[in-house]
Every structure is written in structure tokens, then in C-alpha cells.
């Protein structure tokens, strides 16, 4: 499945969340990630994320069947371009 993940997390934990999310998805912009991920890997990611989160933190995951069903428009500088190499 294709996901877009965004988080709003306390300053003390933001570095750990960034490292965790970069293991599974492509870093697009501050606190924003995207990419293809299996159900099992997504569950693994959410379990690890929940362990480090506090009550005031949030993690939002938008999911779809694949990237081809989503339109993406970038205005301004792209933080991290994602190229698909086989």
C-alpha cells in the first residue's frame, strides 16, 4: 500500500521519530513521509511509534492502494526528491 505519514511530536522526541520513520518511508518534508509499505511493516512502524509517543503527540497516516491513485503537486523547493529506480 502507499502511505503518507505526518507527525506532530514533542521536541525531545522528534529526532527519534524522524529516524524511525526514515527506516520505513521516504522523508519528504519536516514531519512528512511517503512511500510504499507492506501491512506488516506499517504495523511494525506504528507499534514502535506508539511506544515513544506521549499524550500530546499525534501521528496521522493516509493510505491508499498505490501511488498511481494519488496526484502530487509540489510548489517551491522539494525537500527530498523520490526517484523510482529498478
Amino acid at each position: 500500500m502507499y502511505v503518507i505519514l505526518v507527525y506532530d511530536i514533542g521536541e525531545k522526541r522528534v529526532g527519534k521519530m524522524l529516524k524511525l520513520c526514515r527506516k520505513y518511508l521516504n522523508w519528504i518534508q519536516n514531519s512528512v513521509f511517503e512511500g510504499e509499505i507492506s501491512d506488516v511493516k506499517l504495523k511494525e512502524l506504528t507499534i514502535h511509534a506508539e511506544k515513544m509517543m506521549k499524550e500530546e503527540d499525534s501521528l496521522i497516516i493516509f493510505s491508499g492502494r498505490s501511488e498511481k491513485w494519488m496526484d502530487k503537486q509540489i510548489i517551491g523547493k522539494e525537500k527530498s526528491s523520490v526517484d523510482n529506480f529498478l
Side-chain angles (χ1 to χ4, degrees), residues 7-18 52-54 56-57:
Y7 62 79
D8 185 9
I9 196 161
E11 191 176 331
K12 292 181 181 179
R13 296 173 302 285
V14 75
K16 288 182 181 181
M17 184 64 81
L18 173 66
M52 73 174 69
M53 293 172 67
K54 303 289 184 190
E56 65 272 9
D57 299 335

Side-chain angles (χ1 to χ4, degrees), residues 2-86:
Y2 185 80
V3 301
I4 297 173
L5 179 148
V6 295
Y7 62 79
D8 185 9
I9 196 161
E11 191 176 331
K12 292 181 181 179
R13 296 173 302 285
V14 75
K16 288 182 181 181
M17 184 64 81
L18 173 66
K19 282 184 178 181
L20 173 66
C21 293
R22 288 179 91 176
K23 288 181 184 180
Y24 296 91
L25 298 166
N26 301 306
W27 187 31
I28 300 303
Q29 198 171 38
N30 294 343
S31 305
V32 181
F33 297 81
E34 71 175 354
E36 291 285 338
I37 190 169
S38 69
D39 290 335
V40 172
K41 289 292 185 183
L42 182 58
K43 184 67 175 171
E44 189 178 289
L45 168 59
T46 57
I47 289 169
H48 290 299
E50 286 174 346
K51 288 180 182 177
M52 73 174 69
M53 293 172 67
K54 303 289 184 190
E55 189 175 307
E56 65 272 9
D57 299 335
S58 68
L59 177 72
I60 301 169
I61 300 169
F62 302 91
S63 62
R65 289 181 290 183
S66 73
E67 184 178 6
K68 73 179 186 177
W69 298 105
M70 301 181 78
D71 292 327
K72 180 167 107 176
Q73 181 180 11
I74 299 167
I75 299 170
K77 185 179 179 187
E78 186 173 11
K79 179 99 174 170
S80 174
S81 65
V82 178
D83 295 325
N84 293 327
F85 289 104
L86 296 177

